[in-house]
Amino acid sequence: MKKPFYGIAGILALILLTSFPIQAFCEEEYEELDIFQLETLILDRVRRAYVDSISGTELLQGAVDGMIKKLDPHSSYMPRSTADDFSEKIRGDFEGVGITFAILDNKITVIEVVEGGPSEMAGLLSRDKIVKIDNKSVLGIKEDKVKDLLRGPSGSTVTVHVERPGEDKLLKFTITRDKVNINSVTHAYMIDDKTGYISLTRFTIKTQDDVAKALDKLKAMGMQRLVLDLRNNSGGSLEAAVSVVNFFINRGTVVYTKGRRDSDNNTWNASPSEKYTSYTTIPLIVMINHYSASASEIVAGALQDHDRALIVGQTSFGKGLVMNPFPLVTRLNKKNFGTLMLSVAHYYTPSGRLIQRPYDNGRDDYIKEGFDDVDPNAADSSKVGKPVYYTDLGRNVYGGGGITPDRVIEIPPKLNEYESALRGTHIFFEFANDYLIRHNDIPVYFEDFLLQYRIPENEFERFKKYAIDRNITSGDTIPFNTDLEKFLQKYEIPEDMIDGMIKNIKESGHSVSLTLFEESRHFIEREIKQEIARIKWGSEARYRIWHTDDTELINTLTFFDEASELLAKRLAIGNL
């Protein structure tokens, strides 16, 4: 006997009715339930008469996707596996061995060992190649299968055999799995003798502790002022964002929300902590860019509205929707269908700015506009007509979506085609690994390596061949005239100036026909040095190499006089 199929409408109704309170569902207009009957009829006709074979599951998934697309750009349905990964990111931990890896030459190669994690405790190092797991060969294993072998509950063990540079025999390690913290702070160090730097890359339930440790570390090293880097931080936990603001102010509104339901209308105020009051009186600059979103914008908006920090960079993404997870679990048999992430309210900064950017033109345009190179508020003229709000000191701040920085810094140039191809692989790690085998001249101390060490000239040709062997070529001569024309158009310079500019460049001794490889030499050297630094001194050293060319950070440091002046005015009107 053929099993009955209840159709898209039936299944959707089942999920909705078994996952949400009946009262919430009954608030809708009853006549809208007719759509379920219509969908059932359509599904029945498709299953009986459609020319190609298609399963009911595929049709159901299409119906879910179509329904989600009618909502805002951030509401989404996550299958169970995706929901589990999302939960890990919000919690800020997972159970496993604590490494990042890549499959290189068919071997699981350890790129980085999580500080304080189980693998570090067992003795694993960067560059180790795992060839056996629990006495079974894993040569040629697919990357997505490694997680299944290395992850596991806390307290369980896994045995690995590794190849290590300089060792003739395989080394054996037994690792006791444990909770591995995903640190919200990727690096925190002193830029100079008084300037601290913290890169905060995510907001989890552990963020408050991570930031507290970073601040205490920098204070012990003599920090008198701070750069808080929120670039590329796409957000996370609301409570974590509020906790970060609490380090720098001890009174006033941090953020408030408005939704359709009374339960979604809330206000979060600063909660003073005597332990951290010293951080409320140090000059502070917060860096943001187009990829700073959600919780990052809550932090930047609150600190800007209360005149506590100077905001520097580019206008942030503009994601100001409160996302609530609704587990889709049936009441009858407890079947887990995953999670519905649903927008239930909007975020507002203390001055009343709506953080959410408009999405009236559809999801695709919304995403594209968020990640393009155009800063909508870079020029003063672009702010005309936008709603104006006021900080505690009466400074103008602008609505219209996202957080507009107090000082705009130009977006750094994009990587060229060759650099992008290189960055999309692990070639720099591989080359650095070989480099360390060939060279014994690496300084003992990182500071000497950072400031003085240069990659020898002959290594660039070796690297070029290394890349060619991996099918990465530098291409032909750069079309200089084309690039110059784009430059002229960007800055509205007349095109008839091209010939004169090329002539002047040639007469000054500069080449106008570099290959992409030649143009990328500085990039290549920096990337090789970054990987050498990571292997020998850890992740923080790698970032310090990168920051030597971070023009945004370098420019940011020039604004500390203004940040100090802003703080002095803020303190003059009352305690923070």
Side-chain angles (χ1 to χ4, degrees):
M1 180 177 179
K2 191 174 182 180
K3 293 182 180 180
F5 186 82
Y6 295 102
I8 294 175
I11 294 178
L12 286 176
L14 176 65
I15 294 175
L16 289 168
L17 290 173
T18 55
S19 305
F20 301 103
I22 295 295
Q23 179 182 0
F25 188 76
C26 290
E27 290 173 358
E28 303 294 330
E29 297 289 340
Y30 283 106
E31 56 265 25
E32 292 184 4
L33 292 175
D34 289 343
I35 194 66
F36 289 132
Q37 299 179 48
L38 173 61
E39 289 179 347
T40 301
L41 290 171
I42 291 174
L43 177 63
D44 182 64
R45 294 298 181 268
V46 170
R47 294 183 69 246
R48 291 174 182 272
Y50 184 58
V51 63
D52 295 324
S53 175
I54 186 169
S55 70
T57 301
E58 289 178 281
L59 290 171
L60 174 60
Q61 185 63 55
V64 171
D65 292 343
M67 180 168 57
I68 295 297
K69 286 181 180 179
K70 290 295 183 181
L71 307 177
D72 64 272
H74 297 288
S75 291
S76 63
Y77 163 68
M78 294 187 296
R80 184 174 179 178
S81 58
T82 306
D84 290 343
D85 290 340
F86 177 81
S87 179
E88 284 181 358
K89 292 177 181 178
I90 294 297
R91 289 199 318 270
D93 63 38
F94 62 90
E95 293 182 331
V97 299
I99 62 170
T100 58
F101 67 90
I103 305 298
L104 304 177
D105 296 328
N106 290 320
K107 297 174 183 177
I108 304 169
T109 304
V110 179
I111 303 294
E112 194 168 337
V113 181
V114 176
E115 183 178 355
S119 290
E120 183 185 66
M121 301 293 288
L124 257 65
L125 299 174
S126 176
R127 303 164 71 198
D128 284 347
K129 295 181 182 293
I130 301 175
V131 295
K132 289 183 181 180
I133 297 178
D134 288 335
N135 289 318
K136 294 181 180 179
S137 173
V138 288
L139 296 176
I141 190 173
K142 300 298 182 182
E143 190 166 315
D144 58 352
K145 300 297 182 183
V146 178
K147 179 178 175 180
D148 295 335
L149 295 177
L150 294 181
R151 289 281 184 98
S154 296
S156 63
T157 61
V158 60
T159 300
V160 298
H161 286 78
V162 306
E163 296 175 354
R164 177 172 292 175
E167 298 287 347
D168 296 330
K169 297 181 179 180
L170 293 181
L171 302 180
K172 178 181 176 181
F173 299 92
T174 298
I175 307 168
T176 301
R177 299 182 180 98
D178 201 351
K179 281 193 174 181
V180 179
N181 291 330
I182 307 170
N183 203 322
S184 304
V185 175
T186 54
H187 44 291
Y189 66 91
M190 294 294 291
I191 294 176
D192 54 40
D193 59 357
K194 62 180 179 181
T195 309
Y197 172 87
I198 293 176
S199 176
L200 184 60
T201 56
R202 59 179 63 87
F203 289 88
T204 74
I205 61 175
K206 298 180 182 297
T207 293
Q208 182 175 6
D209 291 339
D210 295 338
V211 174
K213 290 176 183 177
L215 287 170
D216 290 346
K217 166 189 169 182
L218 296 177
K219 183 179 180 181
M221 298 172 72
M223 177 181 65
Q224 300 174 33
R225 59 190 194 181
L226 175 66
V227 174
L228 178 62
D229 192 347
L230 298 180
R231 290 176 297 174
N232 306 314
N233 185 325
S234 60
S237 164
L238 165 63
E239 288 72 19
V242 175
S243 73
V244 170
V245 176
N246 282 338
F247 286 111
F248 305 108
I249 64 174
N250 54 34
R251 67 183 180 89
T253 299
V254 175
V255 65
Y256 65 92
T257 61
K258 289 183 180 180
R260 289 175 58 195
R261 303 179 302 180
D262 290 341
S263 60
D264 295 320
N265 300 328
N266 296 292
T267 298
W268 285 262
N269 295 313
S271 301
S273 172
E274 292 185 7
K275 182 178 179 182
Y276 297 109
T277 53
S278 61
Y279 300 124
T280 64
T281 56
I282 64 170
L284 176 64
I285 293 180
V286 175
M287 299 182 69
I288 59 173
N289 64 7
H290 293 329
Y291 298 89
S292 306
S294 188
S296 296
E297 296 172 295
I298 291 173
V299 172
L303 295 175
Q304 185 180 48
D305 282 359
H306 290 304
D307 301 291
R308 174 61 190 92
L310 192 73
I311 311 302
V312 173
Q314 300 96 41
T315 302
S316 61
F317 184 85
K319 180 182 180 295
L321 292 167
V322 182
M323 310 296 297
N324 273 10
F326 291 89
L328 301 176
V329 181
T330 59
R331 294 182 184 276
L332 297 177
N333 59 6
K334 304 301 180 183
K335 184 172 182 179
N336 189 338
F337 285 90
T339 299
L340 176 66
M341 292 298 298
L342 195 64
S343 300
V344 297
H346 289 105
Y347 288 125
Y348 293 83
T349 72
S351 67
R353 288 180 288 170
L354 173 64
I355 293 176
Q356 180 59 45
R357 180 163 46 85
Y359 45 86
D360 300 337
N361 294 330
R363 184 180 297 243
D364 292 342
D365 283 350
Y366 171 80
I367 298 299
K368 181 181 178 181
E369 291 166 4
F371 293 131
D372 61 23
D373 288 337
V374 179
D375 188 346
N377 296 335
D380 289 338
S381 60
S382 65
K383 299 170 185 173
V384 175
K386 292 196 172 182
V388 179
Y389 299 84
Y390 301 96
T391 69
D392 292 353
L393 288 172
R395 295 186 302 139
N396 289 1
V397 287
Y398 298 89
I403 302 300
T404 302
D406 299 306
R407 291 292 173 263
V408 174
I409 293 179
E410 188 173 349
I411 300 170
K414 286 185 175 181
L415 299 180
N416 65 41
E417 181 181 336
Y418 183 57
E419 292 165 351
S420 295
L422 294 172
R423 180 68 70 79
T425 70
H426 294 284
I427 189 171
F428 293 110
F429 177 85
E430 295 179 81
F431 189 82
N433 185 17
D434 289 347
Y435 187 95
L436 288 171
I437 294 173
R438 296 193 308 272
H439 289 263
N440 58 5
D441 61 341
I442 306 299
V444 175
Y445 300 106
F446 171 71
E447 293 295 334
D448 294 335
F449 178 77
L450 172 67
L451 300 174
Q452 300 173 14
Y453 191 80
R454 300 297 303 273
I455 303 299
E457 200 64 29
N458 65 305
E459 289 291 343
F460 287 95
E461 283 304 313
R462 185 188 293 267
F463 179 86
K464 186 175 183 179
K465 184 178 183 303
Y466 208 84
I468 291 173
D469 290 344
R470 287 154 180 76
N471 297 317
I472 306 173
T473 59
S474 56
D476 298 324
T477 301
I478 297 172
F480 178 80
N481 286 17
T482 302
D483 285 353
L484 180 57
E485 186 175 340
K486 291 179 181 178
F487 176 86
L488 294 174
Q489 290 174 350
K490 179 178 179 180
Y491 292 98
E492 299 181 352
I493 299 173
E495 291 187 19
D496 57 12
M497 295 180 65
I498 291 179
D499 292 339
M501 293 183 72
I502 292 176
K503 181 180 178 181
N504 290 335
I505 291 172
K506 287 181 177 179
E507 289 176 351
S508 66
H510 294 285
S511 172
V512 296
S513 59
L514 294 173
T515 64
L516 286 174
F517 179 80
E518 290 167 328
E519 185 189 62
S520 304
R521 284 172 68 90
H522 181 73
F523 166 82
I524 292 169
E525 179 173 31
R526 186 193 67 203
E527 295 290 312
I528 294 171
K529 285 189 67 175
Q530 281 183 199
E531 291 304 326
I532 293 172
R534 171 157 60 178
I535 291 168
K536 290 189 67 66
W537 294 284
S539 178
E540 184 175 293
R542 174 178 178 269
Y543 282 106
R544 289 188 63 185
I545 297 287
W546 177 61
H547 285 154
T548 59
D549 282 338
D550 186 351
T551 56
E552 290 179 291
L553 177 58
I554 293 168
N555 289 334
T556 291
L557 299 178
T558 66
F559 293 113
F560 261 114
D561 286 345
E562 188 173 346
S564 299
E565 183 180 348
L566 178 65
L567 176 62
K569 291 179 180 178
R570 170 67 247 196
L571 292 174
I573 67 170
N575 293 330
L576 285 162

